[in-house]
Amino acid sequence: MDFDAMRERMVAEQLMPRGITDPKVLDAFRKVPRHLFIPPELSLNAYADYPLPIGESQTISQPYMAALMTQYLDLAPGDKILEIGAGSGYQLAIILEIAGMAYSVERIQSLAEGASSALKRAGYNNFRIKVGDGTLGWEEEGPYDGIIVTAAAPKVPDSLLMQLKYGGRLVIPVGGRFSQILTLFRKEKTGVTLKEICGCVFVPLVGRQGWGE
Ligand code: SAH
């Protein structure tokens, strides 16, 4: 299978026509081998325009949704980023192509381990993943230039806003259990601003400042 060609087509057909314009983001999607982050029997669908199951009732987001969130994170080289919900590790790989160092919290141990080994196999070393409740963030490593939450929250967790630097961005789906609004928060010295981006559907963020079990 020609995965390079499949990636090129994904970028040209799914990302560029829908408004993903940041060259750093497009390059990251051209580079990261998405097929290494999904169950091998789904390799043929690795670059398709929809989410895929990754086990434990969790999903890897549709490429466009991952790209949109990355673009709103507004990453710069050297940025320190926190992700909540490592899942397959794919979104973290995209971030690592652009930012300096990234941390991720994942509540399901088997996914955290799978993500870590997929990332290493794909050649990434500038990351750390821990098992725990990401609604509380990862305080010891903060503050962060950007935080991305890849599961759906009933409201934005205070801990995450606290762990964001001034000038930092937080991208998170907020809303009901079955549909949400992708939302961008910016933290400035004068306060926090909010921009609603679009409707979306994510698996629930389960934890102290998220949904119940
Ligand atoms: N970013 C992932 C997609 C993850 S799906 C990827 O690129 O593949 C959402 C993930 O969030 C799931 O793996 C789920 O286990 C995790 N999750 C849900 N609630 C969480 C919490 N409170 N803390 C950490 N991870 C959580």
Side-chain angles (χ1 to χ4, degrees), residues 10-120:
M10 168 185 78
V11 168
E13 291 174 4
Q14 301 172 32
L15 307 189
M16 296 174 73
R18 294 180 182 146
I20 307 299
T21 52
D22 182 339
K24 298 193 295 297
V25 176
L26 294 171
D27 277 346
F29 278 80
R30 284 192 186 99
K31 264 204 202 147
V32 177
R34 182 171 164 99
H35 58 281
L36 297 185
F37 292 86
I38 59 166
E41 64 276 16
L42 297 176
S43 289
L44 258 181
N45 305 323
Y47 297 95
D49 195 12
Y50 41 76
L52 293 168
I54 53 170
E56 306 284 352
S57 309
Q58 306 302 319
T59 52
I60 177 174
S61 300
Q62 172 197 29
Y64 168 66
M65 186 50 70
L68 188 65
M69 293 177 90
T70 310
Q71 184 160 274
Y72 276 105
L73 261 187
D74 199 10
L75 299 171
D79 273 1
K80 188 202 254 193
I81 302 299
L82 174 66
E83 179 196 39
I84 307 305
S88 67
Y90 177 71
Q91 175 72 67
L92 203 57
I94 293 288
I95 291 167
L96 292 169
E97 283 290 337
I98 309 173
M101 179 76 196
Y103 298 82
S104 186
V105 186
E106 168 55 56
R107 68 182 275 275
I108 300 175
Q109 175 143 9
S110 60
L111 292 177
E113 285 167 3
S116 200
S117 43
L119 283 159
K120 288 195 186 124

Side-chain angles (χ1 to χ4, degrees), residues 7 16 18 28 30 34 40 56 82 89 93 121 141 145 154 169 174 193 207 210:
R7 270 202 299 283
M16 296 174 73
R18 294 180 182 146
R30 284 192 186 99
R34 182 171 164 99
E56 306 284 352
L82 174 66
R121 219 177 317 132
E141 301 293 349
D145 298 289
R169 295 81 56 197
V174 183
T193 62

